[in-house]
């Protein structure tokens, strides 16, 4: 594979590296209130453009068929809103044994309880040739679920009580993931 073909194939990763390099060289361009106005462009324009582009490129039949993959959606939502926060909770408890700042650990747990960013999920799924319709649905649905689930997870994990429930949730999620993998392999 030639260099030009490789660049065309890996354009997204190369773009991320170039953007990080530019941000490192001139960070004042992307700060709040700077020339790029990220508080407006990233929050509103970029996310809207990603959904518009993805929505226009999808066929209605693809989106309709993606809605019928209930097991996929259950797996994705339980992984991102139950399994991942539980793993982060376990990591935070391991890191508490070190001299790491407690507020940093609480922040890590808080970020771990949030649904993934909509734009990155859709873009990365499209970049690797995945099911873009399912990614769009799960991103939007996860964001709506996150409105209710994230505060409950924070209450559960960050408040410091309900240790037994956390362990039970971890065990239940692991059992569900193993069961799902067994069902999918059949």
């Amino acid at each position: 594979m030639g260099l030009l073909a490789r660049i065309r194939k890996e354009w997204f990763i190369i773009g991320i590296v170039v953007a990080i390099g530019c941000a490192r060289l001139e960070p004042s361009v992307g700060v709040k209130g700077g020339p790029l106005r990220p508080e407006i462009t990233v929050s509103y324009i970029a996310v809207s453009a990603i959904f518009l582009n993805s929505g226009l490129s999808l066929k209605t039949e693809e989106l309709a068929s993606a809605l019928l993959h209930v097991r996929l959606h259950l797996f994705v939502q339980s992984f991102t809103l139950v399994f991942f926060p539980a793993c982060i909770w376990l990591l935070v408890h391991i890191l508490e044994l070190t001299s790491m700042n407690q507020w940093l650990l609480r922040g890590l747990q808080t970020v771990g309880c949030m649904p993934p960013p909509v734009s990155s999920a859709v873009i990365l799924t499209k970049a690797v040739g995945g099911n873009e319709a399912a990614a769009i649905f799960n991103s939007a649905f996860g964001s709506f679920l996150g409105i209710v689930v994230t505060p409950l997870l924070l209450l559960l994990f960050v408040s410091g009580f309900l240790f037994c429930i956390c362990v039970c949730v971890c065990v239940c999620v692991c059992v569900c993931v193993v069961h799902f993998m067994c069902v999918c392999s059949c």
Side-chain angles (χ1 to χ4, degrees), residues 52-87:
L52 179 68
N53 182 36
S54 298
L56 291 176
S57 64
L58 278 179
K59 295 178 182 164
T60 309
E61 298 84 28
E62 290 177 19
L63 192 56
S65 71
L67 295 176
L68 301 176
H69 297 294
V70 176
R71 288 190 326 187
L72 170 68
H73 304 314
L74 284 174
F75 175 74
V76 169
Q77 298 307 323
S78 65
F79 187 85
T80 58
L81 295 174
V82 179
F83 182 74
F84 188 72
C87 289

Side-chain angles (χ1 to χ4, degrees), residues 92-126:
V92 164
H93 278 286
I94 292 169
L95 291 174
E96 282 178 345
L97 301 174
T98 67
S99 61
M100 191 172 275
N101 186 330
Q102 293 300 311
W103 287 106
L104 184 63
L105 294 176
R106 284 188 178 187
L108 178 64
Q109 185 66 65
T110 302
V111 171
C113 290
M114 296 173 151
V118 173
S119 55
S120 64
V122 174
I123 288 174
L124 292 172
T125 302
K126 188 174 186 175

Side-chain angles (χ1 to χ4, degrees), residues 116-179:
V118 173
S119 55
S120 64
V122 174
I123 288 174
L124 292 172
T125 302
K126 188 174 186 175
V128 298
N131 188 343
E132 189 180 354
I136 290 172
F137 174 79
N138 278 304
S139 294
F141 188 60
S143 293
F144 286 120
L145 278 178
I147 294 170
V148 175
V149 174
T150 298
L152 294 175
L153 288 172
L154 289 173
L155 179 67
L156 184 69
F157 290 127
V158 176
S159 65
F161 69 101
L162 300 174
F163 176 81
C164 294
I165 292 176
C166 294
V167 172
C168 291
V169 167
C170 292
V171 170
C172 289
V173 168
C174 290
V175 168
C176 289
V177 168
V178 168
H179 175 71

